[in-house]
């Protein structure tokens, strides 16, 4: 099976079910113009995030790794009017672009972009003991995935859904000898999920516009 077929199918899916919108293409244009890496999710994946948020009737969403705010748009638009999305970003310039993108999407009031190292922001957040989040999307630097997952769990309640992006990494997940810190971090977060009695978890492999990758899906059960 050719990667070009994956792309054609992804385009077909997007055209059928997730038609492009000015606010989405403008967000990606702004990311490109700002020189960000092309690590944003695809349109069908964005819709999937929205659907997950709707499925758990999420009112409080946490995102680790904002980049240009593209996934935050998808998560934010699934919130009810009184819902909130807190998204953590290390890079001040990226956060600025994300705020502009979110504002164009009409989500200014519902989304807070917090700048800083995510591990530190999460530590501070845990110390505040806020109301639990209903959904957490982890999509930042992969070597710190276990740290992010551990904090996410501390900010969860039974029923919270935790997603971790990019854990399959073009199949490198299966390479136990990999020395790539992102592969090691991705494998480690799955090991952490496996031995954590508070979650039920799996991984779904994906192909398409973003190549061959996959995401972890965990549900907090206690
Ligand atoms: C990488 C990070 C991402 O969030 C993504 O969606 C794809 C790749 C990376 O760091 O390689
Ligand atoms: Mg990602």
């Amino acid at each position: 099976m050719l990667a070009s077929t994956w792309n054609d199918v992804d385009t077909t899916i997007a055209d059928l079910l997730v038609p492009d919108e000015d606010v989405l293409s403008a967000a990606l244009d702004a990311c490109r113009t700002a020189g960000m890496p092309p690590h944003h999710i695809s349109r069908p994946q964005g819709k999937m995030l929205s659907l997950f948020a709707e499925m758990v009737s999420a009112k409080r969403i946490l995102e680790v790794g904002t980049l240009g705010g593209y996934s935050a748009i998808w998560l934010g638009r699934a919130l009810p009017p009184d819902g909130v999305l807190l998204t953590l970003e290390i890079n001040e310039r990226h956060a600025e672009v994300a705020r502009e993108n979110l504002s164009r999407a009409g989500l200014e009031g519902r989304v807070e972009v917090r700048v800083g190292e995510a591990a530190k922001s999460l530590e501070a957040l845990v110390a505040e003991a806020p109301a639990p989040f209903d959904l957490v999307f982890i999509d930042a630097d992969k070597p710190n995935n276990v740290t992010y997952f551990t904090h996410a769990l501390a900010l969860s309640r039974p029923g919270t859904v935790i997603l971790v992006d990019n854990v399959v990494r073009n199949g490198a997940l299966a390479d136990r000898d990999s020395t790539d810190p992102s592969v090691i971090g991705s494998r480690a977060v799955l090991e952490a999920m496996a031995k954590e009695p508070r979650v039920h978890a799996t991984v779904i492999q994906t192909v398409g516009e973003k190549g061959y990758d996959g995401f972890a899906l965990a549900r907090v059960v206690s």
Side-chain angles (χ1 to χ4, degrees):
M1 191 61 64
L2 292 170
S4 63
T5 308
W6 304 345
N7 281 331
D8 290 347
V9 172
D10 221 6
T11 303
T12 304
I13 292 166
D15 288 349
L16 279 168
L17 293 168
V18 205
D20 204 5
E21 300 168 49
D22 288 348
V23 71
L24 296 174
S25 52
L28 293 186
D29 285 346
C31 292
R32 268 188 293 272
T33 302
M36 291 181 199
H39 288 165
H40 59 85
I41 55 174
S42 69
R43 273 205 324 272
Q45 289 169 344
K47 183 79 171 282
M48 181 191 72
L49 287 185
S50 275
L51 289 167
F52 276 135
E54 289 170 9
M55 284 188 279
V56 298
S57 303
K59 287 182 96 170
R60 290 176 53 78
I61 300 178
L62 173 65
E63 179 180 56
V64 184
T66 314
L67 199 62
Y70 187 74
S71 46
I73 292 175
W74 283 105
L75 289 167
R77 55 171 44 171
L79 287 167
D82 60 341
V84 288
L85 163 61
L86 173 61
T87 178
L88 310 177
E89 173 54 43
I90 192 167
N91 182 304
E92 175 65 61
R93 174 73 194 125
H94 293 175
E96 271 312 308
V97 173
R99 288 187 190 110
E100 286 161 21
N101 285 336
L102 287 157
S103 167
R104 253 198 307 271
L107 291 166
E108 221 165 7
R110 254 177 273 180
V111 184
E112 181 192 346
V113 184
R114 198 171 287 180
V115 178
E117 272 180 45
K120 289 195 178 141
S121 298
L122 287 165
E123 215 173 290
L125 197 57
V126 170
E128 288 168 26
F133 290 90
D134 308 306
L135 185 143
V136 184
F137 180 50
I138 298 172
D139 189 22
D141 54 311
K142 315 310 177 191
N144 280 320
N145 268 344
V146 172
T147 302
Y148 301 151
F149 170 67
T150 304
H151 287 312
L153 201 52
L155 295 161
S156 293
R157 54 157 174 87
T160 297
V161 166
I162 302 175
L163 295 151
V164 184
D165 200 19
N166 313 118
V167 295
V168 175
R169 313 203 65 77
N170 203 30
L173 176 65
D175 177 8
R176 288 174 174 276
D177 300 324
S178 175
T179 55
D180 178 340
S182 293
V183 175
I184 293 169
S186 296
R187 192 181 186 93
V189 78
L190 302 183
E191 286 165 352
M193 286 177 177
K195 67 173 189 236
E196 173 53 65
R198 286 189 62 206
V199 305
H200 290 170
T202 190
V203 170
I204 299 297
Q205 302 189 68
T206 56
V207 295
E209 177 199 323
K210 310 308 294 186
Y212 169 34
D213 212 326
F215 62 92
L217 169 64
R219 181 169 189 273
V220 179
V221 293
S222 66

